[in-house]
Amino acid sequence: MKRFFSLLLVCALLLGLLAGCGGDAAQSAEETVAFTDSLGRTVQLPKDLTRVAPSGAVATMILATIAPEYMVSVNATPSSAQYKYLPENLLKLPTTGQMYGSKSTLNLETLLSCGAQAVIDLGDRKENMAADLDALQRQIGIPVIFLEADVVHMEQMYRTLGSILSGKEARGNELADFAAETVAMAAENSARVTAEERVRVMYTSGVSGLDTNAEGSTQAQVLSLVGADNAVIVPEVSNRGGGNTINLEQLYNFDPDVILFTTGSIYAQAADDPAWAQLSAIGSGRYYEIPGMPYNWLSNPPSINVLLGVWWLGDLLYPQYYDYDMTEKAQEGFRLLWGYELSDEEAAGMLANSTLRDR
């Protein structure tokens, strides 16, 4: 956050850009309505809200599902591997970086010049968040709001976005219904998992496999939602994308029943690596690669991608309760979230390293 505040102070001189970008003058000319965000902050928003800037990666991902044509910026340009799944206009938008986190890169100059009527921050609550957003709002002269958007709050988040974005109520409700269905399905099925059936899962991140998303991390929230136990328990939990780094001794002590690897990790070499081969999950063949298109299905960052992750992981760990065709669910999710018609072959490729080997 030090970088965040430094950017605010150093870039205060950029306020002069507001006149040229339709800042305060345009704002005052617009009809506004009072809106109270998830932090209890009451902000005046344009009644006809059709130009929004996301605060970072989570907001970019979510806004792209409900109103991509209203976005005037993205946190970062999508990778070439993501191109075909995402709305085309995202590739042409200016990048404004990330507001929060250890790698905060918020570019105020670009933010001020892109013509946004409001900045929307979506995700999990952070310390001193209300004061931070108030400070940013004062600096840029544009409304800044926050909506809580973890899996549990995703239904309400979409309904709220649908109500404040002009003409998007129906789309917001459609996405909210899918989020509600996902959470309800997981609650019903996870409740059927007995204590004896509960699986201890290790969710790795990064290349080495020794970066882990421990119990209590927002990055690992899908594990508990589907009825699994997080095998990695550490005294100080990190919620950053890389999670907590452990050593081999800790790995052997945790000895999970199931290991989930991210794309680009040592997944393909794990069985032949002496350091990993002695683990129960590797020996039993219960290790998998998390589907990663257009985003990792479990987190990094935890956003709408985790909705697919709930369906996938539940079916992977407890097929006796999560009983459905995962290919069809993947196709449904891609169609609804990104408007992409996922073929049977594409779905099979995404799920090739992440289904039970004895099916």
Side-chain angles (χ1 to χ4, degrees):
M1 291 305 296
K2 289 182 178 178
R3 181 179 175 84
F4 174 75
F5 284 119
S6 296
L7 282 168
L8 288 179
L9 294 173
V10 171
C11 295
L13 56 90
L14 295 172
L15 288 175
L17 289 171
L18 283 170
C21 304
D24 289 334
Q27 179 86 10
S28 61
E30 292 181 311
E31 184 179 356
T32 63
V33 293
F35 172 76
T36 302
D37 70 5
S38 296
L39 299 171
R41 301 166 57 252
T42 298
V43 177
Q44 293 294 322
L45 287 179
K47 184 176 181 180
D48 185 21
L49 183 56
T50 59
R51 302 190 309 277
V52 295
S55 66
V58 172
T60 292
M61 292 163 66
I62 292 174
L63 289 173
T65 62
I66 185 171
E69 73 275 26
Y70 289 1
M71 296 173 66
V72 296
S73 66
V74 291
N75 73 298
T77 303
S79 70
S80 57
Q82 297 170 311
Y83 284 178
K84 69 177 182 179
Y85 305 111
L86 302 176
E88 290 184 11
N89 71 304
L90 299 190
L91 309 179
K92 304 173 184 177
L93 294 176
T95 60
T96 49
Q98 184 76 26
M99 181 188 300
Y100 276 102
S102 58
K103 297 181 180 179
S104 175
T105 56
L106 184 65
N107 187 322
L108 284 179
E109 183 175 5
T110 302
L111 180 61
L112 288 170
S113 65
C114 64
Q117 294 169 291
V119 176
I120 299 181
D121 186 27
L122 304 169
D124 57 309
R125 291 173 182 259
K126 302 170 184 67
E127 188 177 358
N128 300 321
M129 196 169 202
D132 293 343
L133 298 192
D134 285 343
L136 176 61
Q137 184 170 271
R138 286 192 298 270
Q139 289 289 336
I140 65 178
I142 300 171
V144 181
I145 63 169
F146 168 73
L147 296 178
E148 201 158 7
D150 58 5
V151 178
V152 175
H153 294 91
M154 203 164 285
E155 176 192 358
Q156 185 55 52
M157 177 272 299
Y158 267 127
R159 296 199 196 283
T160 301
L161 282 177
S163 69
I164 64 175
L165 295 172
S166 183
K168 291 296 179 178
E169 185 171 3
R171 176 60 174 163
N173 287 333
E174 181 182 33
L175 291 163
D177 289 345
F178 181 62
E181 177 193 3
T182 300
V183 172
M185 178 277 300
E188 177 182 351
N189 289 327
S190 63
R192 300 160 67 188
V193 179
T194 66
E196 293 74 22
E197 292 173 318
R198 289 184 73 90
V199 178
R200 296 175 61 254
V201 179
M202 175 181 172
Y203 171 19
T204 75
S205 59
V207 176
S208 71
L210 293 177
D211 292 327
T212 65
N213 294 298
E215 171 65 25
S217 167
T218 56
Q219 302 284 342
Q221 59 187 301
V222 174
L223 273 62
S224 58
L225 277 172
V226 302
D229 292 328
N230 196 320
V232 179
I233 300 176
V234 296
E236 295 185 11
V237 178
S238 172
N239 282 312
R240 63 185 176 86
N244 290 87
T245 301
I246 62 173
N247 55 42
L248 286 174
E249 182 180 357
Q250 290 174 296
L251 175 61
Y252 299 147
N253 287 334
F254 293 138
D255 195 25
D257 303 318
V258 171
I259 300 177
L260 306 176
F261 291 96
T262 53
T263 302
S265 70
I266 63 166
Y267 163 79
Q269 293 79 41
D272 298 321
D273 187 329
W276 286 83
Q278 58 189 289
L279 293 167
S280 299
I282 304 299
S284 65
R286 300 197 72 187
Y287 63 102
Y288 310 96
E289 188 174 54
I290 304 162
M293 282 293 133
Y295 307 99
N296 179 300
W297 287 14
L298 293 188
S299 66
N300 198 31
S303 182
I304 43 88
N305 44 328
V306 305
L307 295 177
L308 271 177
V310 170
W311 292 93
W312 166 72
L313 189 60
D315 178 59
L316 177 69
L317 300 180
Y318 306 113
Q320 68 272 36
Y321 302 125
Y322 293 81
D323 185 18
Y324 39 79
D325 186 319
M326 192 56 223
T327 294
E328 292 181 359
K329 283 299 175 184
Q331 291 170 326
E332 176 187 347
F334 271 70
R335 186 180 305 114
L336 175 65
L337 297 173
W338 299 293
Y340 184 83
E341 291 296 332
L342 192 69
S343 69
D344 291 347
E345 292 73 21
E346 288 173 316
M350 290 182 183
L351 299 169
N353 297 327
S354 58
T355 54
L356 290 176
R357 291 174 172 80
D358 57 358
R359 283 193 186 179

